[in-house]
Amino acid sequence: MGMRWFVWGFFFAFLSGLSVSASAEDACPRNGTLGVSRTVEIDTTGGPGFGMEHYKAYDFLQDKEVVLTFDDGPQKYSTEAVLKALADECVKATFFSIGKMALGYPEIIREVSKAGHTVGTHTWSHKAIGKLKTFDDGKAEIERGVSAVHRAVGGPIAPFFRFPTLVDTPEAVAYLGKRNIAMFSTDIDSVDYKPQTVDHLIKSVMAKLDKRGKGIILMHDIHKRTAQALPIILAQLKAKGYKIVHMTAKAPVVTLAEFDEAIEKEAKGLPQVGAERPMSSVVKTVGGAAPKDDGAGDATEPEGMPTAPAEESVHAPDGGGSASAPLPAFPSAASPAKKSTVAPETAVPPGTTPGPGKQSSNEPSSAVSGNSGIATSPAASAASSATAPASPPLMTTASVVRTVSGEEAKLAAPAAPAAKSEAPQETTHKSLMERAKETWKLWFGE
Ligand SMILES: [Zn+2]
């Protein structure tokens, strides 16, 4: 009996060994890759904030731990290349997707989700919440983004949100708290939206990380240079002993019906390729009573969104129209490329309705980092009272962030909340806003 089981066991071990080696090409975890060292589950109740540049209540990363985040996508080619680089190293990231982009490229954001990455949101059209006339407009930007990305993914997404330009407002923070949506700032801003060589981008990200020792890295999956730099950044992370932490949500985001409906209308209102003929001439009821509103329009795909935009171009900000050639597929092994001559890309795919302003997707996503040392120096940031938590810490880090796989981090004692009480929230936000404006001026001279 025992011998028979032993033999069978041996046989099955042999079989499974065969199957592993057969699919080793894409199976994760995989030897020799960077991999995910720890997966954390975040309880977004009350809208906690993360990323020490703005929200200091929950510092859940250990030394050498890195979280990868990508904003503003999905985008044809660049997001796909980012996905490939992540898959090649068996790592998982978080994508803060723009509603319009997700509706524009639903098949790409679905790939992101299917690959096991976490999908959060980054507003509907990347408008700076604080610049809108009323918070109702801000709320609509947030909620339409959530509903649109949710619709495009066609399944649950995370209640994770990142403010465009990283600039929040007290109203928006309070609102997200009520909606149980967590806010994410950053620890390490790659500043990859600025034209630069791939080589420069790699070096500056690694230098910032080496200085800080750990952190949530902010990148953008809409930029070619980022997609080209990523494989090398991952290789260097591996060589230097950094570990990837994957953030997941304890529960998915709950969309609001009102905004789901608005997004349905938005998706249906878009021009459809090849839809010159009215529906009644394409689909005809031949038996039974014809419905008043034919249900044939209830496709899961947003109608009219290009599946493969013929002209994926990057536009110069003032209609320069120079770099209008389609982006080529990226090589999987990036090499330092010649400096991009391309002006800031626009985020909105062709076929979408009038979108955000020209500056929408490439204003500095980290509006306050440019002229402030706080983000790169842990000591300085701990001492700074001007950047006290935007929302009061409600719970301990351990109760908000839970390791669900990998080794549990030994968390440092929660930071003393003293600084917070000295700086009223309004002051905090005002000063953040002011610094953001200063940085904005630096980039755009507004
Ligand atoms: Zn952004």
Side-chain angles (χ1 to χ4, degrees):
M1 184 71 169
M3 186 59 183
R4 189 189 294 172
W5 282 115
F6 177 78
V7 170
W8 275 114
F10 201 80
F11 181 64
F12 283 119
F14 174 72
L15 275 186
S16 61
L18 275 186
S19 66
V20 165
S21 61
S23 60
E25 215 42 48
D26 31 28
C28 287
R30 186 166 70 243
N31 277 345
T33 59
L34 180 54
V36 171
S37 79
R38 191 159 73 97
T39 299
V40 295
E41 184 188 85
I42 293 173
D43 181 350
T44 64
T45 307
F50 303 89
M52 304 300 277
E53 209 169 273
H54 296 87
Y55 313 117
K56 300 184 188 307
Y58 307 113
D59 183 9
F60 64 95
L61 294 176
Q62 295 248 66
D63 226 29
K64 287 272 176 183
E65 284 188 333
V66 168
V67 170
L68 302 170
T69 67
F70 297 92
D71 290 7
D72 293 3
Q75 180 61 284
K76 192 75 188 153
Y77 305 121
S78 52
T79 301
E80 290 165 330
V82 163
L83 286 178
K84 183 181 185 315
L86 297 173
D88 285 347
E89 286 297 334
C90 283
V91 296
K92 303 286 180 222
T94 297
F95 289 74
F96 292 96
S97 176
I98 293 174
K100 279 194 168 187
M101 300 300 288
L103 282 190
Y105 300 110
E107 72 286 357
I108 301 179
I109 196 67
R110 259 175 233 162
E111 282 305 312
V112 171
S113 174
K114 223 164 63 185
H117 302 294
T118 298
V119 178
T121 65
H122 191 47
T123 72
W124 162 243
S125 63
H126 210 278
K127 288 193 181 109
I129 302 288
K131 289 190 163 192
L132 299 172
K133 286 207 177 74
T134 67
F135 181 64
D136 268 354
D137 294 340
K139 178 183 159 185
E141 266 291 304
I142 293 169
E143 294 293 356
R144 284 163 73 91
V146 171
S147 288
V149 175
H150 179 261
R151 185 192 200 278
V153 166
I157 60 168
F160 289 3
F161 178 80
R162 187 175 261 153
F163 284 98
T165 73
L166 299 183
V167 181
D168 63 25
T169 69
E171 274 172 309
V173 168
Y175 180 74
L176 292 172
K178 271 187 279 175
R179 288 280 282 120
N180 298 322
I181 295 174
M183 309 174 292
F184 292 82
S185 173
T186 185
D187 298 319
I188 292 153
D189 188 351
S190 68
V191 201
D192 59 346
Y193 49 85
K194 278 178 110 177
Q196 61 196 294
T197 63
V198 171
D199 195 43
H200 179 272
L201 175 58
I202 294 163
K203 282 187 180 133
S204 82
V205 167
M206 292 310 296
K208 284 176 193 170
L209 180 57
D210 288 343
K211 190 172 170 196
R212 202 175 181 282
K214 64 174 185 177
I216 298 172
I217 304 181
L218 164 60
M219 290 174 275
H220 295 83
D221 54 316
I222 57 169
H223 296 300
K224 180 181 173 183
R225 72 182 77 86
T226 305
Q228 288 177 318
L230 188 61
I232 300 170
I233 290 173
L234 294 178
Q236 295 194 3
L237 290 177
K238 190 165 57 179
K240 290 183 168 185
Y242 285 102
K243 293 172 178 167
I244 299 296
V245 173
H246 180 213
M247 305 189 300
T248 62
K250 188 178 179 189
V253 76
V254 178
T255 60
L256 301 183
E258 174 195 351
F259 293 96
D260 286 344
E261 283 160 25
I263 291 304
E264 281 306 313
K265 280 187 196 147
E266 186 79 35
K268 283 183 180 173
L270 293 166
Q272 183 173 16
V273 179
E276 295 79 10
R277 293 160 64 199
M279 175 135 59
S280 59
S281 85
V282 180
V283 182
K284 195 169 66 152
T285 300
V286 292
K292 264 190 196 143
D293 178 16
D294 201 315
D298 295 339
T300 51
E301 290 275 347
E303 286 173 27
M305 298 315 297
T307 50
E311 275 182 62
E312 189 42 55
S313 60
V314 282
H315 305 285
D318 289 305
S322 48
S324 60
L327 291 173
F330 300 140
S332 57
S335 53
K338 46 189 181 306
K339 187 173 182 299
S340 169
T341 55
V342 172
E345 287 105 310
T346 55
V348 179
T352 52
T353 47
K358 289 240 169 79
Q359 81 279 23
S360 61
S361 72
N362 17 265
E363 78 292 321
S365 275
S366 170
V368 295
S369 69
N371 50 5
S372 152
I374 54 160
T376 47
S377 163
S381 60
S384 165
S385 63
T387 52
S391 55
L394 304 170
M395 294 163 276
T396 62
T397 300
S399 77
V400 177
V401 184
R402 192 168 71 92
T403 299
V404 291
S405 83
E407 217 172 295
E408 179 68 80
K410 289 160 214 79
L411 295 166
K420 179 180 62 95
S421 55
E422 289 159 19
Q425 273 192 31
E426 272 69 22
T427 312
T428 300
H429 280 92
K430 226 172 253 169
S431 87
L432 281 177
M433 288 284 283
E434 272 159 18
R435 280 185 294 146
K437 277 180 195 155
E438 281 167 29
T439 312
W440 189 275
K441 270 187 219 152
L442 276 179
W443 300 124
F444 299 108
E446 275 181 31

